[in-house]
Amino acid sequence: MGRGVRAIILAIAMLASAGVAAQSAVPPPVTLQSGEDALVQDAGAIAERLALSPDQALLHLRLQQASVPTTDAIGRRFAARLAGIAIEHRPAFGIVVLLTGDDPVPAEVIDLAGQPVTIRFVTGARATQTELVQAIGAHQATIRASLLGPPGLGVDQRTGELVAIVSARDVEREGLEPLRDRLAALTQVPVRLRVVDRPALDMDGVAGGMRLMGSVPGDTRRYLCTSGFVVTDGTRDAIATAAHCADTVSVRDAEGRDEALEFVGQWGWGHQDVQINLSPRPLQPVFFADAARSVTRPVTGSYSRAGTRAGDAVCHRGERTGYSCSLVELTDFAPAGDLCGGACLPTWTTVAGPTCKGGDSGSPIFLGTTAYGILKGGSYRSDGSCAFYFYMSTDYLPTGWTLLTAPAPPVIP
């Protein structure tokens, strides 16, 4: 059995029948959150990681959302020099723009949601973001072939580096600095190494963020994944989850009955890991946003991969780990191994732990009532803790399928 096959089997979280039954209780009554309550909950979850009070964290999340048009415009303005855009949270909320070349650009102060926000321009980067992404595409196969374990490769917009996530075995064999220098010479861009023990593994009514139980023909075991967001083709409603989950899945309704969701198709090559399963009845555009599955949120829109910045706060809700929030680390990430029907393209986004585990596959990535993506997999340290997880943007839903959305709820200014 090959390394990639073992990784997938390990990550889709095989469960004993007794454990499945114990965790499949009828959920409690469900409350639909307002947009304001959703953002307050996320602020409380991210506050400790930002070393801020909940009120300060809430302000930062509002500024994060309000800054998207500004950073999109900066990206267009400095397209020829842009190495990255990052959000910083300490000592205050700010925007950092990394540029190639030495021509200085003075700092700017803008008004966002009634707050002054500083934009700092840092020059001297050695490669643009476009050049870093192109280096991954051009040299991924050569790098993989030269290492004992296939690496993950991504772009750190904070530093303007290609980050290679490599195994400890390769560092022990070659040495940290020689390995880094060799990859930098090959790619002709700045390289930073990150060493992990397991560079990338898939994880393994109806609403997003809900438990999905699956089966495989000829296998008596049951497999766990998490539903992502509700999608539609204009006439039918369905659930999107990860393509590496079982084709045949069911969900437990409010009366405790298992209800099969008809398999439509799966797309799991290169830049996608998404599966569509039909609902037998119309669905609401909502997803669970708490560990107890007692609170749902409406989906009011989505956030594009192109605008994603290092330092953006996002949250996820998985069946194995519940609800948590953290910060985006790498954009334009190509996961290690053959997790995409072969090598993955640099189209994924990584998020710093603190939680990820088999069974979270397919779970929704979001902030407030905005959909970001569908969780694919994670990387783990030697003690089994989550180093980071990575997700597919909702930009890559299969052709013909779109997010089912609700009108935006009011947000208190």
Side-chain angles (χ1 to χ4, degrees):
M1 184 181 295
R3 179 185 179 89
V5 175
R6 284 199 303 271
I8 292 172
I9 291 175
L10 284 170
I12 55 181
M14 295 177 285
L15 299 182
S17 298
V20 171
Q23 298 180 56
S24 298
V26 177
V30 174
T31 300
L32 181 65
Q33 280 186 320
S34 68
E36 175 68 7
D37 288 344
L39 211 58
V40 168
Q41 178 184 329
D42 292 347
I46 197 68
E48 184 176 353
R49 293 190 67 78
L50 297 180
L52 299 172
S53 71
D55 286 345
Q56 290 174 315
L58 179 58
L59 174 60
H60 281 222
L61 295 190
R62 287 180 174 148
L63 293 174
Q64 175 181 311
Q65 293 179 322
S67 66
V68 172
T70 297
T71 54
D72 285 348
I74 289 172
R76 294 188 294 269
R77 176 181 165 193
F78 293 99
R81 298 180 61 187
L82 187 65
I85 299 176
I87 299 299
E88 62 179 8
H89 297 275
R90 303 288 296 177
F93 183 92
I95 300 169
V96 181
V97 182
L98 183 61
L99 302 173
T100 58
D102 298 322
D103 293 340
V105 179
E108 301 174 4
V109 178
I110 61 171
D111 180 88
L112 285 180
Q115 297 287 326
V117 171
T118 299
I119 305 173
R120 293 193 297 113
F121 296 89
V122 179
T123 60
R126 292 167 49 199
T128 66
Q129 184 179 356
T130 298
E131 290 169 336
L132 292 168
V133 175
Q134 290 174 340
I136 293 173
H139 302 289
Q140 182 181 25
T142 302
I143 294 172
R144 282 166 54 104
S146 72
L147 298 174
L148 297 173
L153 302 170
V155 173
D156 189 339
Q157 294 194 51
R158 297 163 297 188
T159 63
E161 294 170 305
L162 188 161
V163 178
I165 300 169
V166 298
S167 70
R169 293 186 303 155
D170 281 301
V171 172
E172 291 168 359
R173 182 184 67 162
E174 196 166 342
L176 189 68
E177 292 186 2
L179 175 55
R180 179 201 62 201
D181 293 345
R182 178 172 68 81
L183 297 185
L186 171 67
T187 60
Q188 294 297 294
V189 297
V191 172
R192 184 173 84 246
L193 299 186
R194 182 175 179 183
V195 184
V196 296
D197 294 274
R198 300 163 75 191
L201 294 175
D202 281 336
M203 288 184 209
D204 297 304
V206 182
M210 199 168 183
R211 172 182 294 262
L212 292 179
M213 297 308 306
S215 59
V216 176
D219 190 337
T220 59
R221 293 168 293 186
R222 302 191 72 192
Y223 297 83
L224 172 67
C225 274
T226 307
S227 58
F229 296 105
V230 176
V231 295
T232 182
D233 65 357
T235 59
R236 300 174 296 173
D237 293 345
I239 280 291
T241 189
H244 65 268
C245 295
D247 295 352
T248 303
V249 297
S250 62
V251 67
R252 184 155 291 189
D253 66 19
E255 284 72 43
R257 299 169 302 195
D258 287 337
E259 187 167 63
L261 303 179
E262 179 185 347
F263 176 75
V264 174
Q266 58 184 208
W267 296 260
W269 299 92
H271 65 289
Q272 290 176 303
D273 187 352
V274 57
Q275 176 173 306
I276 302 295
N277 288 83
L278 284 179
S279 167
R281 60 180 61 86
L283 301 177
Q284 296 298 312
V286 298
F287 62 97
F288 283 108
D290 66 327
R293 288 182 293 176
S294 62
V295 175
T296 60
R297 296 182 185 178
V299 176
T300 59
S302 60
Y303 186 61
S304 73
R305 187 184 80 84
T308 303
R309 306 154 302 191
D312 277 342
V314 297
C315 306
H316 93 284
R317 193 271 167 205
E319 266 300 301
R320 289 294 295 277
T321 61
Y323 160 81
S324 65
C325 301
S326 194
L327 301 179
V328 168
E329 288 190 318
L330 304 180
T331 60
D332 308 295
F333 178 66
D338 295 323
L339 299 185
C340 302
C344 297
L345 297 177
T347 56
W348 309 80
T349 302
T350 77
V351 179
T355 59
C356 57
K357 205 169 186 179
D360 284 354
S361 284
S363 59
I365 310 297
F366 55 89
L367 181 67
T369 60
T370 300
Y372 277 59
I374 294 172
L375 190 146
K376 174 174 173 58
S379 178
Y380 301 91
R381 304 182 184 93
S382 58
D383 62 1
S385 63
C386 175
F388 62 87
Y389 63 83
F390 49 95
Y391 69 88
M392 182 199 83
S393 168
T394 54
D395 292 349
Y396 298 129
L397 290 173
T399 301
W401 292 91
T402 59
L403 286 170
L404 191 64
T405 59
V411 175
I412 300 173

